Amino acid sequence: MALANEQIRSVVQAETIRDETGDRLSRSHQERFKAELSQSMDIFMNIAESATQTLADIVFSDLRPITAALYTAEWYQEDLLQPVIETLKDYCQDFQDHLDKYLYKRLMQDLLSRFALSYVDAASGKVKFRKGKSSEKLNLELHRATKFFKEHMDSGAVTETLSIVRILISLIDSTPTMIFLEFFSVKKQYPDLPLALVEDILAKRDDLDKQQLKGILESLRQKSKGETGSSLAKQRTLFSKLKSYPPLGS
């Protein structure tokens, strides 16, 4: 936090020097002076952002044993979200007390994104989605997580970021006849939604028999043929940041 804060102070100082000194120089030196100062400011910001990313790494390193247990027997039997929320509360209080306000906002967005992604990435593990139980538990946890993050950041940003968990719930909950429509409805808003993720979720649902699953997957794959990552390059969403499911075209 000290390193990140120092970089922001350096940016502010550099801006002051630029504004107060730049016009005093001859025109022949002004352009070079401002260019090199801007380059230094970019370096300060890059270091500050790297420092805050490291803070987020530390937080989720602590949470890894819990996020690794999502959708397992332990998750169904216990309240694993409570220790997650308490851990986040402890860290976020320190961040709020000591971190520059701008960096604090950036860090909170990073923590929120990582939280949402952890719920989706967990689908790649040795897990099972139980009919009714999975979506019920996910909805409760989503409500509690939303309440926590809204205490620290903009309500709209929280709702938008956590929407990928709502999509996960919809794919777990959809009836066999509606999965096809649900998938392509989501794709309109999130074109980088990985087909591999959807296949994983469906394969781990305990309410689909092998014949149903085969037919659904064949329909989805057939309809998705010809889709390339290059055509979606300018439409990246949070789904492109999943660790377990590489973005299209990568």
Side-chain angles (χ1 to χ4, degrees), residues 123-157:
S124 65
K126 295 180 179 179
V127 301
K128 202 71 175 176
F129 296 111
R130 300 178 185 176
K131 179 65 176 178
K133 292 183 179 180
S134 297
S135 56
E136 181 181 359
K137 191 171 177 66
L138 273 169
N139 275 312
L140 287 172
E141 295 194 350
L142 184 60
H143 174 74
R144 291 164 63 192
T146 299
K147 182 180 178 182
F148 166 75
F149 280 106
K150 283 184 176 181
E151 293 173 357
H152 293 266
M153 53 192 301
D154 176 70
S155 175

Side-chain angles (χ1 to χ4, degrees), residues 9 18 42 48 77 148 175 185 192:
R9 284 193 288 269
R18 181 191 61 192
D42 288 341
Q77 295 167 6
F148 166 75
T175 62
S185 173
D192 54 347

Side-chain angles (χ1 to χ4, degrees), residues 167 170-171 174 178-187 193:
I167 290 169
S170 71
L171 291 170
S174 294
M178 292 298 293
I179 290 172
F180 185 86
L181 293 176
E182 182 69 30
F183 172 67
F184 287 101
S185 173
V186 172
K187 287 283 282 185
L193 172 68

